[in-house]
Amino acid sequence: GLLFGCTSVGGGSSAIPLRQEAEAFLWDTATETVAWQGTPVPGTKTYGRARCAANGLIVGLAGQSWYLLDPATRSTVHVGALPVQRLRFPNLGDLLVGPRQWVIGLGDDAVFAIDAAAREVRVLGTHPSLNSAHGFHATAAGQLFYGSQDSVYRCRLPLE
């Protein structure tokens, strides 16, 4: 019954931020109230995509970091550096992938996997076409589809 959301500090060329750092929140859908708000990674200006992992933790992006937030305790249980500098849209995949239930992301010329259970991130592969990738989908069985320039690519992710 909780919905996780996150914010960013900034805007267009004439926007003046009212806050110094971005925040995240849990919305209680039953009571239609904010159940929690806070900063999973203090000092962050931009939170990126977030999704629920198989173990119930929230996997999210914060600047050049990824984090795990426990919605039950409302606390950050892990923060780690991303293995890439520039993320590709939509940053994190929708489905959990493979037997380890990885969260897949794209950045620079790489595809990476976040293992929420092991609290680690690893690069699964690199290819020059990923430098201009925009839009991707990773299936639960480990097929990765993405668009890059005027082509659509498909590859099998190494799941073990």
Side-chain angles (χ1 to χ4, degrees):
L2 295 175
L3 178 69
F4 182 77
C6 31
T7 67
S8 296
V9 176
S13 60
S14 62
I16 300 171
L18 299 176
R19 302 216 181 215
Q20 296 300 310
E21 63 183 346
E23 293 182 335
F25 60 91
L26 289 169
W27 177 260
D28 186 320
T29 59
T31 63
E32 297 186 1
T33 59
V34 174
W36 170 86
Q37 70 183 64
T39 54
V41 182
T44 296
K45 300 280 186 194
T46 301
Y47 286 106
R49 194 151 198 218
R51 61 155 350 282
C52 192
N55 60 6
L57 298 177
I58 295 168
V59 177
L61 302 175
Q64 294 300 307
S65 301
W66 66 279
Y67 64 91
L68 295 173
L69 180 86
D70 185 338
T73 64
R74 282 118 164 115
S75 63
T76 303
V77 296
H78 182 82
V79 177
L82 287 170
V84 297
Q85 295 297 308
R86 187 165 180 251
L87 293 164
R88 305 286 177 230
F89 177 82
N91 306 147
L92 297 177
D94 293 325
L95 301 176
L96 299 174
V97 174
R100 297 178 76 174
Q101 301 290 283
W102 287 335
V103 176
I104 300 298
L106 295 185
D108 300 335
D109 67 347
V111 56
F112 61 90
I114 297 174
D115 185 333
R119 297 183 182 187
E120 65 183 23
V121 63
R122 69 181 68 168
V123 172
L124 298 178
T126 61
H127 192 269
S129 65
L130 291 167
N131 268 322
S132 56
H134 186 80
F136 74 92
H137 175 71
T139 69
Q143 289 285 323
L144 174 67
F145 299 87
Y146 63 95
S148 180
Q149 296 185 13
D150 63 351
S151 299
V152 175
Y153 290 82
R154 177 183 61 122
C155 66
R156 179 172 296 284
L157 298 173
L159 298 182
E160 290 301 324

